[in-house]
Amino acid sequence: MCDGCGCGEQDAGSRRVVVEQELLAKNDSRAAANRDHFRSREILALNLVSSPGSGKTTLLERTVHHLAPKVPVSVIEGDQQTTLDAERIKACGVEVVQLNTGNGCHLDAEMVHRAFHDLPDQRGGFLFIENVGNLVCPAAFDLGEAAKVVIVSVTEGEDKPLKYPAMFAAAAVCLVNKIDLLPYLDANLDKLMENARKVNRNLLVLPLSAKTGEGFSKWLDWLDEQRLAR
Ligand SMILES: Nc1nc2c(ncn2[C@@H]2O[C@H](COP(=O)(O)OP(=O)(O)OP(=O)(O)O)[C@@H](O)[C@H]2O)c(=O)[nH]1
Ligand SMILES: [Mg+2]
């Protein structure tokens, strides 16, 4: 109870905290099972997170184009509505499942578990999970991935890592996308990269353009290294 006024504020607040803790604990346990499942099949699962429109699907289209001839690749697409992103990925010739979260602002481990079982066995390959475009909630939900990859585009402003630190702290790699637009912006790429590293000094920060392919080889190298290290 809040001090004396009888509004019930604190009771409601503590109930909410308990429900959130239970929800996250349940998710963590499902995520651990997903992780075991991926490991046992030598699948490298990566969780792509960003604000809406940073370029996750464009990045995946180009990534799939490079990887799919050499190694099994499958994709889980997360969006509130539509199958638009899954259609784009399907057109690249790889297996894809679209998840629609309705009002939900992130994917959770149970959704990924179900989607994964709708995909053919892709032993030894990559599973890319494109999360719902949102720089906040997906940070809290482990999906069982080997790593989170955060994408931030140069059009979003240098301050985003500082304003949304949880996502940058949770990621292993930060792809700074749309660098082809730098000549037309007053964006400061160095500052953006510095801010990302300020939040997470272990973060690998790679500037690239998913549209033109500039800087893309370093991202592909990182993917190769992760696959070999598995
Ligand atoms: N100039 C430029 N445009 C890009 C680049 N990457 C993506 N875009 C454009 O940015 C827009 C959004 O790209 P998407 O790949 O759909 O972004 P997304 O993050 O998947 O979006 P949501 O799934 O809706 O969150 C599209 O118009 C892309 O063509 C890039 O490197 N350079
Ligand atoms: Mg997308």
Side-chain angles (χ1 to χ4, degrees):
M1 224 26 115
C2 105
D3 282 349
C5 83
C7 68
E9 187 62 36
Q10 195 178 321
D11 277 351
S14 47
R15 266 199 306 278
R16 189 170 156 192
V17 169
V18 170
V19 170
E20 280 178 3
Q21 281 169 345
E22 284 173 1
L23 197 101
L24 285 173
K26 193 172 163 209
N27 185 73
D28 283 349
S29 138
R30 181 74 259 176
N34 286 355
R35 188 164 284 115
D36 286 346
H37 189 81
F38 298 144
R39 272 204 199 115
S40 68
R41 286 162 179 75
E42 298 190 329
I43 288 170
L44 188 73
L46 297 171
N47 181 2
L48 270 58
V49 291
S50 83
S51 17
S54 300
K56 298 178 292 301
T57 312
T58 310
L59 179 99
L60 278 178
E61 289 171 318
R62 187 175 282 276
T63 303
V64 161
H65 171 77
H66 283 278
L67 295 181
K70 294 177 271 179
V71 59
V73 179
S74 51
V75 178
I76 295 173
E77 280 292 343
D79 281 298
Q80 287 199 325
Q81 302 286 346
T82 85
T83 55
L84 292 169
D85 282 1
E87 286 157 28
R88 287 170 63 184
I89 296 300
K90 196 169 176 204
C92 302
V94 295
E95 296 290 340
V96 57
V97 171
Q98 177 80 52
L99 291 173
N100 285 137
T101 58
N103 290 331
C105 52
H106 59 86
L107 296 178
D108 66 32
E110 179 58 32
M111 292 176 201
V112 167
H113 166 76
R114 277 187 263 123
F116 182 72
H117 286 289
D118 285 340
L119 288 165
D121 197 345
Q122 301 272 44
R123 263 163 220 269
F126 287 96
L127 172 66
F128 293 100
I129 305 165
E130 177 177 338
N131 218 311
V132 178
N134 175 352
L135 212 42
V136 182
C137 309
F141 285 81
D142 184 5
L143 305 180
E145 70 272 0
K148 282 188 177 67
V149 177
V150 63
I151 295 136
V152 60
S153 61
V154 292
T155 52
E156 292 170 57
E158 302 86 27
D159 54 359
K160 291 305 163 291
L162 303 179
K163 287 184 170 181
Y164 302 95
M167 191 64 90
F168 291 82
V173 183
C174 172
L175 302 178
V176 183
N177 191 30
K178 307 196 186 181
I179 59 169
D180 54 291
L181 296 179
L182 282 171
Y184 314 104
L185 305 169
D186 59 4
N188 184 334
L189 177 62
D190 290 339
K191 191 80 197 158
L192 204 170
M193 292 172 68
E194 185 189 318
N195 284 341
R197 289 194 193 105
K198 228 182 239 174
V199 171
N200 177 353
R201 62 194 171 90
N202 297 319
L203 196 60
L204 174 67
V205 186
L206 302 175
L208 54 75
S209 166
K211 189 141 235 159
T212 66
E214 186 182 352
F216 218 76
S217 60
K218 291 212 167 110
W219 160 238
L220 295 174
D221 289 347
W222 183 81
L223 289 172
D224 251 358
E225 280 163 26
Q226 301 307 303
R227 195 168 65 86
L228 296 174
R230 208 173 23 186

